[in-house]
Amino acid sequence: MINIVKTTPYSDQKMGTAGLRKKTAIAMQENYFENFMQSIFNTIPALDTKSFLIGGDGRYYNTIAIQKIIKIAIANGVKKLYIGQNGLVSTPAGSHILLKNHLDGGFVLSASHNPGGIDGDFGIKYANASGGQCQPDESAAIYEQTKIITEYKIAVCDDIDLSKLGTMTYENTEIEIIDPYQDYISLMKTIFDFKELKTLLTSNFKFVFDAMHGVTGPYAQKIFEDELGAPHGSILNANPLEDFGGLHPDPNLIYAKSLVDLMYSDNAPDFAAANDGDGDRNMILGNHFFVNPSDCLSILTDNYKLIPAYQKGIFGVAKSAATSSAVKRVAKALNIGFYEVPTGWKYFIHLMDSNRITFCGEESFGTGASHIREKDGIWATLFWLSIIAKTKKTVKEITLEHWQKYGRYYYLRNDYEAIPQDIADKLMADLEQKLPSLVGQTFAGYTISEAHPFIYNDPVDKSSTKNGLIVHFKDGSRIVYRLSGTGTSGATLRTYIERYVTDKLLEEPETMLKELSDVSRTISEVTKYTGKQKPDIIT
Ligand code: G1P
Ligand code: ZN
């Protein structure tokens, strides 16, 4: 039986950088999730010919929300649903499942690296047939629907048992519970030399992987322990938990602190990687060494020939504008295409689909390639291990040699959090206004050569997107300002600071960027607007 339920719109269902992300308690309001799902389906024609993937990172409320999607999909006459066993599918594996089965879309229930639980965050990433998250015009159409919705359709039936693999049919909808791991593992085997990696991981090379109680735990156990022979226990925090064990599943120096402490201790392993809640972000560490994500993209690109799948050559490389310029130099040296896009993985999709790029990355611990249309934490980990297996060098040696070859971009991101939205908007608007007048001015010895909004013209669909403001300095340094699109309380001003040097390669970023960080505050007048003397988070 199908129920048609009368509802009233919520005004706050606009998607951000990566889907809809809300405080869990907001998402649990009456009809909130149902409204959003029905609004998506309202924008998709001929649902009786369409198939979708459903999965998630295992966070709180996912099991309830997944049953709701299933019942709303049945009521809307969707042709087929592929559902990850126990409701689990990582964001990268989901992209692969979508592409491999030529699905029309997918729903990965995740607020990515944000904490989970009743006091944490909940989210939905909606992917389209490209295998990646929907484009801005699609999210705009869905947002319009959320503002006018008056009813949704939902099937009245028992909850579906997600624990057993198999196929069943409800009304006209076929439902298949799928293994979320196998296809992804097979894909990784087509890219990397598993035999060589097994030799490394069964040697005396010490490896750990921190899954942060997110969805990658079982993927990592199957790949690194079962397939590649790493000792049992190499995967830390391996079981997915609804509240991530109370941790903040963001693989960076602040939130993956216990892993960082281990890697800077006397008995540090040779290599560590961490992934976020849904498995698209990664952090790479060596013994007493941290790899900045911007450098990570640059190093992987420079070493592409070491990986079987890329030996015949790669197309170009792309980064978000906020990411450091390091990979630009590599692209030039390799004579491959280079693109700079707004923040958000969806902006890489057209470049991949049109064979303009193979690799891409963001400063926010995201690296990936065109095997899927999302960033991929396990792929990045396997790539690093492959470089180590081939070169027999440490993470630190590999990175240092890279800097000796190309120079080093010291890089920091300063975040000013929980700013009232109107104040943050005013700060950005005022800053944009005064950019032209800044050109030629000198602050603490740094002279501004150019200052403008970042505008991206997509070479494929010809759309134009404005995202943040960029200040260039004569010595090649840059400061980028933008507001976060993933927060769930107030606004976050992100300030991205970089400085290029060819000497002094082993200094601390805080030391090398002290003046520029001060300059970034002088220019934005963040203290005047927010009262904040310093950033809340520095990564
Ligand atoms: C943040 C990151 C961005 C990333 C996104 C989703 O978005 O900065 O690079 O694509 O999370 O993981 P933001 O909050 O800055 O809009
Ligand atoms: Zn994520």
Side-chain angles (χ1 to χ4, degrees):
M1 196 183 93
I2 307 295
N3 248 356
I4 298 185
V5 181
K6 295 277 170 235
T7 186
T8 48
Y10 284 93
S11 59
D12 63 344
Q13 297 194 322
K14 188 174 185 177
M15 291 190 226
T17 312
L20 186 71
R21 212 167 279 186
K22 293 288 165 192
K23 286 272 159 233
T24 308
I26 301 266
M28 289 171 70
Q29 293 172 96
E30 191 182 11
N31 295 340
Y32 191 93
F33 184 74
E34 289 86 343
N35 276 15
F36 187 67
M37 285 312 305
Q38 183 67 55
S39 297
I40 294 180
F41 285 135
N42 285 350
T43 65
I44 306 172
L47 284 167
D48 58 342
T49 64
K50 303 278 158 74
S51 302
F52 299 93
L53 170 72
I54 303 175
D57 64 4
R59 73 177 56 223
Y60 181 76
Y61 197 54
N62 274 18
T63 47
I64 294 170
I66 287 174
Q67 296 293 341
K68 289 184 196 251
I69 307 183
I70 296 170
K71 291 173 190 175
I72 295 169
I74 294 171
N76 280 275
V78 164
K79 179 173 172 227
K80 180 161 181 183
L81 297 173
Y82 292 70
I83 307 173
Q85 190 175 22
N86 297 316
L88 297 178
V89 175
S90 76
T91 291
S95 179
H96 176 55
I97 292 166
L98 246 144
L99 290 169
K100 180 172 179 252
N101 297 292
H102 308 287
L103 305 190
D104 300 288
F107 309 100
V108 172
L109 299 190
S110 172
S112 189
H113 51 282
N114 292 10
I118 181 83
D119 298 320
D121 292 347
F122 174 81
I124 313 162
K125 291 179 171 181
Y126 167 51
N128 62 21
S130 74
Q133 288 170 52
C134 68
Q135 291 298 311
D137 57 336
E138 288 165 278
S139 47
I142 293 164
Y143 181 46
E144 287 311 309
Q145 286 295 317
T146 66
K147 290 191 284 189
I148 55 169
I149 188 163
T150 56
E151 60 182 40
Y152 63 85
K153 291 186 222 158
I154 189 155
V156 182
C157 60
D158 288 342
D159 282 358
I160 308 293
D161 179 2
L162 303 180
S163 68
K164 288 187 210 71
L165 301 178
T167 306
M168 53 208 126
T169 301
Y170 284 83
E171 305 280 341
N172 295 315
T173 304
E174 191 183 332
I175 294 176
E176 185 175 344
I177 311 296
I178 58 166
D179 175 336
Y181 311 112
Q182 263 328 306
D183 284 342
Y184 179 78
I185 296 169
S186 304
L187 175 67
M188 290 302 114
K189 287 185 183 169
T190 66
I191 300 172
F192 300 102
D193 183 343
F194 267 46
K195 212 165 137 241
E196 186 174 56
L197 288 168
K198 187 164 189 170
T199 306
L200 178 71
L201 291 189
T202 51
S203 70
N204 56 8
F205 181 81
K206 296 270 174 313
F207 159 88
V208 287
F209 181 98
D210 189 346
M212 303 188 88
H213 290 303
V215 73
T216 46
Y219 289 86
Q221 283 176 321
K222 287 173 197 293
I223 293 176
F224 299 110
E225 293 182 359
D226 301 353
E227 294 276 346
L228 298 175
H232 187 72
S234 301
I235 312 304
L236 312 175
N237 301 317
N239 53 330
L241 293 177
E242 285 200 330
D243 66 347
F244 306 104
L247 300 172
H248 189 142
D250 197 357
N252 62 31
L253 293 175
I254 296 167
Y255 297 120
K257 186 158 184 321
S258 58
L259 185 70
V260 174
D261 288 347
L262 172 68
M263 295 309 286
Y264 282 84
S265 70
D266 288 343
N267 48 7
D270 299 296
F271 178 95
N275 273 194
D276 74 333
D278 63 330
D280 52 357
R281 293 186 174 203
N282 77 88
M283 173 172 67
I284 303 294
L285 298 160
N287 187 329
H288 289 76
F289 197 77
F290 161 71
V291 182
N292 178 286
S294 298
D295 287 333
C296 179
L297 173 63
S298 182
I299 291 165
L300 299 191
T301 305
D302 200 37
N303 284 289
Y304 76 87
K305 280 197 184 130
L306 302 183
I307 308 300
Y310 310 122
Q311 259 154 20
K312 292 209 186 89
I314 53 172
F315 299 116
V317 62
K319 70 171 191 75
S320 66
T323 303
S324 101
S325 307
V327 75
K328 191 173 179 180
R329 286 180 185 267
V330 176
K332 193 161 179 234
L334 297 177
N335 196 22
I336 56 173
F338 168 77
Y339 299 84
E340 214 172 23
V341 306
T343 292
W345 209 260
K346 54 181 171 276
Y347 295 103
F348 294 127
I349 293 174
H350 290 160
L351 299 176
M352 292 195 246
D353 285 348
S354 61
N355 289 343
R356 284 175 164 84
I357 62 165
T358 302
F359 296 155
C360 45
E362 294 186 302
E363 52 68 39
S364 53
F365 295 82
T367 24
S370 57
H371 59 289
I372 54 169
R373 297 293 179 271
E374 293 278 5
K375 54 199 174 224
D376 190 342
I378 287 183
W379 171 88
T381 308
L382 289 167
F383 203 139
W384 268 96
L385 291 172
S386 304
I387 299 174
I388 292 166
K390 274 264 172 2
T391 62
K392 314 266 185 276
K393 290 177 184 155
T394 65
V395 173
K396 184 172 177 179
E397 286 164 352
I398 292 163
T399 309
L400 187 57
E401 283 177 21
H402 187 79
W403 291 336
Q404 282 159 348
K405 190 166 162 192
Y406 290 105
R408 175 172 180 186
Y409 282 86
Y410 281 94
Y411 184 86
L412 281 179
R413 185 175 99 186
N414 291 344
D415 288 345
Y416 302 85
E417 295 183 330
I419 306 173
Q421 188 68 49
D422 52 338
I423 292 181
D425 290 339
K426 174 113 175 55
L427 182 156
M428 288 299 284
D430 292 351
L431 181 56
E432 183 170 348
Q433 278 284 318
K434 73 176 181 201
L435 287 182
S437 68
L438 291 174
V439 177
Q441 289 195 44
T442 302
F443 298 87
Y446 291 90
T447 303
I448 297 178
S449 56
E450 271 179 76
H452 52 79
F454 173 70
I455 296 183
Y456 177 61
N457 296 312
D458 185 310
V460 176
D461 74 359
K462 309 288 178 210
S463 64
S464 187
T465 306
K466 188 164 104 180
N467 189 253
L469 308 170
I470 306 192
V471 177
H472 297 268
F473 296 87
K474 281 215 169 106
D475 72 334
S477 300
R478 297 193 320 161
I479 301 175
V480 177
Y481 299 91
R482 58 178 285 280
L483 297 183
S484 159
T486 57
T488 54
S489 45
T492 296
L493 171 68
R494 302 203 197 281
T495 308
Y496 310 83
I497 302 161
E498 73 186 59
R499 177 180 167 199
Y500 177 66
V501 297
T502 50
D503 54 355
K504 293 194 193 162
L505 296 178
L506 280 172
E507 304 296 320
E508 288 305 316
E510 281 80 359
T511 316
M512 294 296 284
L513 296 172
K514 194 191 165 309
E515 284 86 16
L516 267 180
S517 296
D518 292 343
V519 169
S520 76
R521 277 188 287 278
T522 308
I523 292 175
S524 68
E525 299 181 80
V526 63
T527 307
K528 184 184 101 184
Y529 284 86
T530 66
K532 290 177 189 280
Q533 304 285 345
K534 56 181 180 49
D536 297 289
I537 302 263
I538 303 177
T539 47

